[in-house]
Amino acid sequence: MILETFPVGLLQCNCTLLGDETTGEAMVIDPGDNTPQILARIASHRLTLKQIVVTHAHIDHVGGALKLKQQTGAPILLNQQDLPLLEMMDMQAGWLGVQTPEVAPPDASAEDHLVVGLENYPAQVLHTPGHTPGSICLHFAPQKLLIAGDTLFAGSIGRTDLPGGDFKTIIRSIHDRLLPLPEDTRVIPGHGSVTTIGEERESNPFLQA
Ligand SMILES: [Zn+2]
């Protein structure tokens, strides 16, 4: 398994490239920006991009998705409850003072329990609303790996003061869907350093009873 996480764009969103060297297939999660860099990484492993998954429709996570699709033909998956945010891309660009990236509706909705990913590395979609209504995490159970988007961070949680955000909802999502995962599950958050479910269960100040 090829697994590379690297920050892209102004807000340093963690973009993840997952590849299977036996089939030559790859998926990319949260291509927020720097599409040429993402394409170069895919090419350097001689992989073919099969799928793009976006954990939520904030500009720093979705900004490069359409470009990546146009260059590779890979479909984009995003939970449909984030479509209103996708339509607010002008406003989101205004928050950051950047140019509005071109976006388009996803090819399919990343619904709760949907299985996404690669043939040999499937992941289950966990719908974890709160940071945004359509926020999702991807759980690769055999690899004990969670791609958490902006729902859970090392020592923190996603902000809930942007349109569609809700504090009680994100707390419930984390308690109901993420904390029950095995404690040695590696968590790759949408920003910042890697952590584990056990570490966050133990010491994340937002998650203590
Ligand atoms: Zn976000």
Side-chain angles (χ1 to χ4, degrees):
M1 182 191 218
I2 295 161
L3 181 68
E4 289 183 0
T5 298
F6 44 96
V8 295
L10 194 64
L11 297 182
Q12 298 282 280
C13 162
N14 280 333
C15 175
T16 294
L17 167 63
L18 195 149
D20 181 345
E21 51 276 82
T22 61
T23 63
E25 295 184 340
M27 75 182 292
V28 166
I29 303 152
D30 285 352
D33 203 349
N34 302 25
T35 316
Q37 185 201 340
I38 298 169
L39 286 166
R41 282 177 183 263
I42 295 169
S44 77
H45 292 291
R46 299 168 202 273
L47 296 168
T48 304
L49 189 62
K50 288 291 173 189
Q51 190 175 68
I52 301 162
V53 179
V54 179
T55 60
H56 63 291
H58 279 156
I59 186 169
D60 53 323
H61 294 255
V62 75
L66 185 60
K67 260 192 206 158
L68 199 55
K69 175 187 169 174
Q70 287 165 346
Q71 302 274 333
T72 60
I76 301 173
L77 279 80
L78 168 77
N79 187 277
Q80 59 177 352
Q81 291 192 45
D82 266 9
L83 289 181
L85 274 171
L86 199 66
E87 285 156 14
M88 291 168 57
M89 208 44 60
D90 273 331
M91 185 190 283
Q92 292 198 46
W95 296 339
L96 298 182
V98 298
Q99 244 191 343
T100 307
E102 201 190 330
V103 291
D107 297 277
S109 178
E111 295 289 316
D112 196 30
H113 298 301
L114 184 72
V115 175
V116 300
L118 305 177
E119 201 184 332
N120 293 327
Y121 302 121
Q124 193 177 46
V125 171
L126 308 179
H127 181 219
T128 51
H131 176 62
T132 68
S135 279
I136 59 161
C137 297
L138 295 189
H139 185 217
F140 296 84
Q143 287 76 30
K144 293 189 176 177
L145 173 68
L146 183 80
I147 309 286
D150 284 358
T151 297
L152 180 63
F153 298 123
S156 188
I157 62 171
R159 60 190 286 186
T160 52
D161 59 331
L162 295 171
D166 187 79
F167 184 76
K168 271 188 189 158
T169 305
I170 195 172
I171 293 291
R172 194 186 318 128
S173 287
I174 296 170
H175 276 286
D176 291 356
R177 306 301 301 278
L178 303 188
L179 295 191
L181 299 175
E183 64 177 0
D184 55 347
T185 302
R186 198 161 28 126
V187 178
I188 300 178
H191 302 266
S193 46
V194 172
T195 182
T196 64
I197 288 294
E199 232 172 287
E200 298 313 307
R201 213 189 277 156
E202 185 90 352
S203 65
N204 189 311
F206 292 91
L207 306 177
Q208 306 309 310

